[in-house]
Amino acid sequence: MSERTLHFGADYYPEYWPRERWEVDARLMRDAGMDIVRVGEFAWRVFEPEEGAYDFELFDAAIEVLGRYGIRVMLCTPTAAIPVWVQQRYPDVNVLDVSGRRRSWGARKNWCYSNPTMRRLSRSITDAMAQHYAGHPNVVAWQTDNEFSYSGCVCDHCAAAFRRWLATRYESPEALNRAWGLRFWSMDIHDFDEMMPPLERAHSPAHLLDYRRFQSDQVMAFNREQVETIKAADCAAKVTHNFMTTYSGIDYRELARDLDFVANDMYPRDITRLEDCAYGHDVIRGYNGGPGFWMNELQCGYINRENQLRTPPPGMIRLWTHQAISQGADAIIYFRWRSCTGGCEQFHSGVVQHDGDPVSRSYREIVAIGEEVQRLRSEGVAGSSIENSVAILRSFDVARAMELYYGGRLFDYDAELQRYYRPILRQNVGVDVVHPEDDLSRYRVVFAPLLMLTTPDQIEGLRRYVAEGGVLVTSYRLGAYDLHAVVPTETLPGDSLVELFGVRIHEYDCLMTDAPADPTPLVAWDGETYGTCVWADMLEPTTAEVLARYTNEWYAPFAAVTRNRVGAGQAIYVGAGLDEAFYAHLVPWIVAEAGVSPFLETPEGVVAKVRLVEGQPLCFLLNMTTQEQVVPLPREMHDVLRGCATPPELILSPRDVAVLR
Ligand code: GAL
């Protein structure tokens, strides 16, 4: 199975193309330095043309041709798209949506994870494939299904399973009523059998949240069955699933526990989103528990969603590729090998275009990237480590709960985290994305903004972290939800957090809604005044010192930013969303005070990322701008991609990359 090497390849659909073409494709892949393709995730009808009749001939033949050119495969279970026989024989496998509409055959992801027939069919096809391919020398790894997501199904199977799920979690209907606050609008139940899936848009947030948790557990069970079936046939099999970065519909942290490694899909679209991509890679490395995640789908040309999007300019795919590797990817697999002629993704670029001609720019660029990947392989990038002393704390439960209020969004959680993330990234300080339950002791600073939903255990972990010398930074709405997305009755942020942060909150203002004539709070800090946005908590210090105050209107007596010293550490509360310039000032100050220094000084828009190969830094310099940039280097290094010693000043052309040892 998968040995430690930097994999390079594409998502390949041999079933779409005439067999005579496979050999041409395999040769072009080899010439581009590729060693892997992902296959099969939408080929259920090929693998099982009719129920119980399996046919592996097509993929056997394709895998054989690919193998002759040194290309091995990641094999996917094909359950994402159901063949027509499934739907016609078992029409109730399809999702019943909240409007009462039964989804139909066609498209994909239109079936229900709770449906017992679907579960049986999934186990059967997975078992047949796993038995057939067990121990196959050219199968490197497996992917379960494709991009699991929240189905939104409310069918009778889901309703019954939801009731059972609740009955194992809540002692009695009364306990559930209390935990969810169901007296509101007469929603309390007397019997678990009275409980239904939430069909109304503005349902109780607690109900919506637990329904998401329940549906996520159904996906976990579905995935686990496939993983266990594959491993029962081949105990050495390595199994992954392709995540959608910051998606909050199912619990990725939990999913990751059932996988050998995490894989991700990313469609960066344009250069303006490179900092979002950086954030996404760090989120995924967090789920993976460190570097070594795979990019199972990386954009390699124009893509289509509802319409066709822009073609990436020259150099863009190279930049995306090195960015992913620099942040911990050990495999780059482009979506897709060749643009397909039919289907709703017919205007979605491949490495080669519809005509399959290798003269296309995308193919030529990827051949050049393949040569660089070969150099990185020789440097031993795969399996190398990343060590950071700053972290962003991202709670999956907060991410999920923020998406469920009144059928809409309470706060944009990732946007709030990114206010802190961007200045760290721009400073060339490495950052991990961690979860409240992770071990925080190795970090000097942990930024934990918008930690709205917490549990007593999490709070105790944070208290210990600070007492032992950590610097913890939070922002508005701390502690405003309990585990059930119900508002606690203690004065905010709740007794134990009042003690940790040394502030109490009785008043706040929501700054997201339109009231243009009303004033918004201003905050003065270190000689500058900043505007506010999103939300403002009015902080009343109990034991904390005031770092910044609100300066206008009714906000003026209140503190805006405070610091509480607890044990050997500090707990900093930033009460509001503030102008970008504020974070550009505050975050580097906190990081520097904690004794963390940037790896390298670079001009604005050039990001330095470090992977440690046997303890020695391998530094990726990524020019995220469309201008030439000059990077002064502190000493001579070896330029891995160009194969020479570095000059005192390294010149990076627009979107250029350098890797220095
Ligand atoms: C992904 C999906 C692929 C393909 C791609 C198009 O989300 O996994 O199968 O649809 O999007 O961009």
Side-chain angles (χ1 to χ4, degrees), residues 41-42 108 146-147 242 265 267 297 305 335 345 348:
E41 78 276 23
F42 303 121
R108 57 179 174 182
N146 187 70
E147 292 186 345
N242 52 339
D265 295 348
Y267 295 86
E297 296 180 18
R305 289 292 183 260
F335 185 88
E345 290 181 353
H348 194 300

Side-chain angles (χ1 to χ4, degrees), residues 34 54 209 270 274 337 375 392 395 417 447 478 566 655:
M34 292 186 172
Y54 301 106
L209 181 57
D270 59 49
L274 277 163
W337 168 250
R375 287 174 185 258
I392 296 262
S395 154
L417 299 193
F447 291 92
L478 176 69
V566 177
R655 301 181 201 96

Side-chain angles (χ1 to χ4, degrees), residues 19 25 40 125 148 165 173 175 180 254 285 291 368 388-389 420 504 515 593:
R19 286 172 190 239
D25 286 339
I125 180 63
F148 288 133
W165 188 91
W180 287 9
E254 177 127 21
R285 195 178 64 253
N388 296 321
S389 42
Y420 294 82
R504 260 199 298 260
E593 273 235 315

